[in-house]
């Protein structure tokens, strides 16, 4: 292989994330926000950027989306060349309310706005994509993104939610056939499979396409299935969860960010990826919106990973 081609293929491998870049209004027992920056790609991008240097976003916002909000992402070295800004239109808006049980929430408003006719543009500079996170978004747009990549990425991770199971089932089935890993929460795994047992649900879901499945259980941790094995990751017991919004996306960003960093896909690395995802999610919920995810550093992340290792380490002494 000519040296230049080798250089291009093996040294420029990016992690591309597509998802919503949004305004959210959130209410939890700890307070209420006006419109603040949110969106699946925002949380996932911030989390991933702490672990991998080549993070590139695809998304769409309206004219109402402040430059200062985009600057939050840019300041972490995230490329926004694939983010369209639609003149005269409004950004995706989501509003949700959490009760004392932070594992469940009520969606109050979902305004698709710019998302309604979103046609993803993949800049040439994104064609080096080796790791692709199809973040929570219209399944048809997730399919189009896969179609528009010239080379199949080494790893495709899909995140989705009940909203799309209710409104776009057939497209969801199509995209599931084309991904390596699916991350969803326990209620969504049950809805997708029609099985209450998460073990049976995992078997059924993996028959739909993904080789690996992560089932997120909020404050109860996460399960990883694949290669005939199961791994159980704890969640960090936190005295106060201020705002769970984006935890799932931060998880997905941390998960794929770690795999991009180590570069080898196997069950053992997936286990570590689940721990990194859980660690980034645990930070996310400590403040409202992206506030906490904006202010992390490598040392803090490593310390939290060490706490996760400590949480489930035990010795049996005869
Ligand atoms: P999570 O808490 O991980 O489920 O993610 C919450 C984020 O997802 C919020 O910032 C919302 O803007 C975004 N969101 C909410 N509903 C949807 C939806 N139907 N499609 C895509 N993103 C959504």
């Amino acid at each position: 292989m000519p040296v230049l081609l080798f250089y291009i293929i093996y040294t420029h491998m990016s992690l591309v994330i597509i998802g919503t870049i949004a305004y959210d209004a959130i209410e939890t027992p700890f307070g209420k926000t006006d419109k603040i920056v949110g969106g699946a790609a925002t949380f996932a991008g911030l989390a991933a950027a702490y672990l991998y240097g080549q993070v590139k976003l695809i998304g769409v916002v309206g004219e109402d989306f402040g430059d200062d909000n985009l600057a939050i992402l840019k300041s972490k070295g995230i490329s926004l060349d694939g983010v369209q800004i639609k003149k005269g239109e409004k950004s995706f808006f989501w509003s949700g309310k959490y009760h004392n049980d932070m594992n469940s929430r009520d969606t109050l408003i979902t305004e698709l706005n710019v998302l309604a006719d979103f046609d993803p543009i993949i800049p040439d500079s994104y064609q080096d994509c080796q790791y692709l996170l199809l973040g929570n978004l219209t399944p048809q747009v997730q399919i189009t993104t896969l179609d528009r990549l010239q080379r199949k990425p080494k790893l495709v991770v899909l995140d989705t939610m009940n909203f799309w199971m209710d409104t776009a089932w057939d497209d969801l089935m199509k995209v599931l056939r084309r991904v390596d890993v699916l991350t969803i929460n326990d209620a969504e795994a049950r809805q997708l499979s029609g099985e209450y047992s998460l073990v049976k649900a995992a078997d059924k879901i993996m028959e739909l396409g993904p080789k690996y499945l992560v089932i997120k259980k909020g404050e109860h941790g996460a399960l990883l299935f694949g290669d005939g094995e199961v791994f159980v990751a704890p969640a960090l017991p936190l005295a106060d969860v201020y705002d769970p919004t984006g935890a799932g996306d931060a998880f997905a960003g941390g998960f794929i960010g770690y795999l991009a960093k180590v570069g080898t896909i196997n069950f053992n690395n997936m286990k570590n990826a689940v721990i990194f995802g859980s660690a980034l999610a645990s930070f996310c919920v400590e403040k409202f919106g992206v506030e906490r995810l904006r202010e992390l550093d490598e040392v803090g992340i490593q310390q939290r990973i060490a706490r996760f290792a400590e949480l489930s380490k035990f010795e049996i002494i005869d």
Side-chain angles (χ1 to χ4, degrees):
M1 186 185 302
V3 175
L4 183 63
L5 191 58
F6 180 88
Y7 180 77
I8 291 169
I9 293 176
Y10 290 101
T11 59
H12 291 90
M13 295 189 293
S14 63
L15 162 49
V16 172
I17 298 176
I18 181 164
T20 44
I21 302 173
Y23 276 129
D24 291 345
I26 297 152
E27 190 174 340
T28 85
F30 293 93
K32 198 174 166 176
T33 71
D34 283 331
K35 285 189 174 180
I36 56 172
V37 59
T42 312
F43 287 105
L46 287 172
Y50 285 109
L51 304 175
Y52 195 64
Q54 292 283 317
V55 176
K56 303 178 179 179
L57 294 201
I58 300 173
V60 63
V61 293
E63 204 176 2
D64 57 347
F65 205 75
D67 285 347
D68 47 337
N69 291 324
L70 294 175
I72 297 173
L73 295 162
K74 281 190 195 146
S75 72
K76 301 291 179 196
I78 298 170
S79 168
L80 301 183
D81 292 349
V83 175
Q84 303 169 47
I85 303 173
K86 293 277 181 185
K87 284 232 156 44
E89 293 189 45
K90 284 169 75 179
S91 302
F92 176 78
F93 174 62
W94 176 80
S95 169
K97 181 174 177 169
Y98 298 83
H99 306 276
N100 283 332
D101 171 9
M102 294 277 210
N103 283 333
S104 69
R105 71 179 173 207
D106 297 330
T107 288
L108 305 177
I109 304 170
T110 301
E111 281 177 13
L112 294 180
N113 297 329
V114 283
L115 207 62
D117 53 4
F118 176 37
D119 190 23
I121 293 174
I122 304 186
D124 287 346
S125 59
Y126 283 37
Q127 291 295 349
D128 61 355
C129 169
Q130 286 271 323
Y131 302 90
L132 176 65
L133 173 57
L134 296 169
N136 187 15
L137 188 93
T138 328
Q140 181 53 54
V141 174
Q142 295 173 323
I143 293 170
T144 306
T145 307
L146 278 169
D147 288 344
R148 291 184 180 167
L149 282 171
Q150 287 155 8
R151 277 187 303 270
K152 192 188 173 305
K154 185 165 156 183
L155 183 78
V156 182
V157 177
L158 176 79
D159 190 33
T160 189
M161 71 186 292
N162 53 351
F163 184 83
W164 305 115
M165 293 177 202
D166 296 334
T167 61
W169 180 265
D170 291 348
D171 286 339
L172 185 59
M173 290 301 117
K174 281 187 202 150
V175 69
L176 269 174
R177 272 181 235 130
R178 298 174 63 181
V179 307
D180 303 297
V181 185
L182 171 67
T183 69
I184 44 173
N185 71 30
D186 43 356
E188 289 156 354
R190 291 185 170 118
Q191 182 173 349
L192 188 58
S193 64
E195 292 286 351
Y196 186 80
S197 151
L198 293 180
V199 175
K200 288 185 186 162
D203 285 343
K204 277 204 173 169
I205 292 169
M206 288 188 289
E207 279 170 19
L208 300 175
K211 288 188 283 296
Y212 299 96
L213 171 69
V214 178
I215 300 181
K216 300 167 285 182
K217 299 178 73 196
E219 63 177 324
H220 306 298
L223 298 169
L224 167 69
F225 295 89
D227 294 346
E229 297 197 56
V230 188
F231 174 66
V232 185
L236 188 72
L238 291 167
D240 289 317
V241 169
Y242 280 84
D243 171 17
T245 308
D249 313 306
F251 177 96
F255 177 84
I256 196 166
Y258 175 81
L259 289 170
K261 181 179 151 146
V262 294
T264 307
I265 310 302
N266 57 41
F267 195 76
N268 203 45
N269 287 344
M270 291 258 174
K271 283 160 66 172
N272 292 343
V274 170
I275 298 295
F276 272 79
S278 304
L280 268 307
S282 75
F283 283 119
C284 181
V285 304
E286 287 179 338
K287 289 189 179 174
F288 274 88
V290 297
E291 279 313 306
R292 188 72 178 106
L293 279 188
R294 288 176 69 172
E295 60 185 21
L296 303 181
D297 58 38
E298 209 173 305
V299 175
I301 294 172
Q302 285 307 335
Q303 284 170 346
R304 186 141 302 186
I305 295 294
R307 281 183 70 189
F308 269 85
E310 217 32 63
L311 271 181
S312 43
K313 189 172 101 186
F314 63 89
E315 264 176 77
I316 296 174
I317 300 159
D318 292 325

